[in-house]
Amino acid sequence: MRLDDPLHEALRLIDLAAARDLRLRLMGGLAFHAQVPDWTARSDRAGRDIDLATRGRDRKAVSDLLIAEGYEPDRQYNALYGHKQLYFMDADRRRPVDVLVDRLEMCHRFEFADRLGVDGRTLPLAELLLSKLQVVKINRKDVLDALVILAEHPLTADDSGINLTRIVALTSNDWGWWRTLTGNLDGFAAFVTAELQPTDLDLGGRPPRFDLLRQIADLRAAVDAAPKSTRWKLRARVGERMPWYEEPEEVGHGRD
């Protein structure tokens, strides 16, 4: 029953989970294609990993579901780290499946367990964008993922679009989050001006719904204008004299 197209396969798994009343949502690069199906860049998805998100209460049942669907668990890894991340492999296609539990922890951290009901397929738009904006050493692929969401979805005060309230709640209380996010937004503006190619955000021949530079500027303005907490102000005094982000740890997988 496993499908060759990783996006279709991920959505199949999400539907199976929903039928069991489990919260399982798509994140990572495929989620951006799910949210912007007209985007043709990098449309060849062969070999793409599947990144999923779930909540702690569903972790065991999601693991059982994936095993029942023929995915091989990395038992050693899952025993050590399964409280926060599970790892499986579709051996026939050599396709990894990562399942984050309750939160994303990389350069910065955000919780998503109570946000998995917002969208039926993926993490909410704000969290998808945050998953890219938290990357300190961001690459071109991550930049394009973030830009296509900004190009196709409005900035809103709720989850009808990219939820600014959710984003500002992080950047107004954590200076490190603010520093990384605003630095990336400035980099996005420079990228759009000097490097973005027409094919990068090809939407089937139609123009994007929103002006990218305006979206970036409006998001930056909202983040900067929001009142900052005492914790934020104290950390801002230290600035970049101390590290403000974590270096993501790479852990190998043996599946033994």
Side-chain angles (χ1 to χ4, degrees):
M1 290 293 295
R2 297 193 304 277
L3 305 176
D4 289 336
D5 186 301
L7 177 55
H8 294 162
E9 173 64 4
L11 296 177
R12 185 185 74 86
L13 293 172
I14 289 166
D15 288 342
L16 288 175
R20 294 160 173 76
D21 198 27
L22 306 174
R23 292 274 173 87
L24 186 65
R25 298 294 183 264
L26 185 58
M27 58 186 300
L30 291 174
F32 293 81
H33 285 276
Q35 286 290 350
V36 188
D38 292 340
W39 188 28
T40 58
R42 297 191 295 119
S43 58
D44 181 5
R45 296 190 285 263
R48 299 276 291 274
D49 297 356
I50 296 176
D51 297 305
L52 299 167
T54 193
R55 54 189 179 180
R57 61 186 285 188
D58 294 337
R59 178 182 62 84
K60 175 63 166 59
V62 166
S63 179
D64 291 344
L65 169 62
L66 289 170
I67 292 171
E69 289 301 309
Y71 287 89
E72 299 178 4
D74 184 330
R75 299 189 185 280
Q76 181 178 10
Y77 181 90
N78 293 352
L80 289 171
Y81 303 105
H83 61 287
K84 63 180 182 178
Q85 185 170 2
L86 298 164
Y87 185 87
F88 300 84
M89 176 67 74
D90 179 343
D92 294 336
R93 297 163 182 80
R94 305 304 301 167
R95 184 166 64 203
V97 176
D98 276 294
V99 185
L100 292 190
V101 181
D102 288 339
R103 63 189 59 87
L104 179 145
E105 294 179 290
M106 293 179 66
C107 298
H108 297 281
R109 166 177 170 160
F110 64 78
E111 307 281 337
F112 55 67
D114 63 348
R115 300 274 295 156
L116 295 179
V118 172
D119 188 285
R121 302 170 303 163
T122 76
L123 285 184
L125 292 169
E127 276 76 7
L128 287 181
L129 185 56
L130 286 167
S131 73
K132 302 301 179 180
L133 287 170
Q134 62 84 28
V135 180
V136 173
K137 299 172 184 177
I138 194 167
N139 60 35
R140 193 175 193 276
K141 175 184 72 68
D142 288 333
V143 170
L144 293 176
D145 284 345
L147 290 180
V148 79
I149 288 290
L150 287 167
E152 286 293 288
H153 295 279
L155 301 173
T156 56
D158 56 22
D159 288 313
S160 61
I162 302 168
N163 191 332
L164 287 176
T165 305
R166 172 69 171 141
I167 294 172
V168 166
L170 290 172
T171 58
S172 294
N173 289 288
D174 186 323
W175 182 86
W177 250 115
W178 173 89
R179 173 64 185 85
T180 297
L181 186 145
T182 55
N184 276 330
L185 289 179
D186 291 345
F188 289 0
F191 181 90
V192 170
T193 301
E195 297 184 46
L196 185 66
Q197 302 298 312
T199 55
D200 288 334
L201 297 182
D202 186 353
L203 298 165
R206 65 173 176 82
R209 294 181 60 204
F210 299 96
D211 178 83
L212 268 174
L213 290 177
R214 173 51 57 192
Q215 288 278 88
I216 294 166
D218 288 349
L219 176 53
R220 174 72 196 256
V223 165
D224 285 339
K228 305 300 188 290
S229 69
T230 300
R231 175 173 173 261
W232 188 100
K233 293 174 183 177
L234 290 172
R235 181 60 182 84
R237 294 178 184 175
V238 178
E240 297 181 21
R241 294 194 300 275
M242 288 180 58
W244 66 93
Y245 62 92
E246 299 292 329
E247 290 283 357
E249 181 181 3
E250 293 290 337
V251 179
H253 300 283
R255 300 191 306 284
D256 294 330

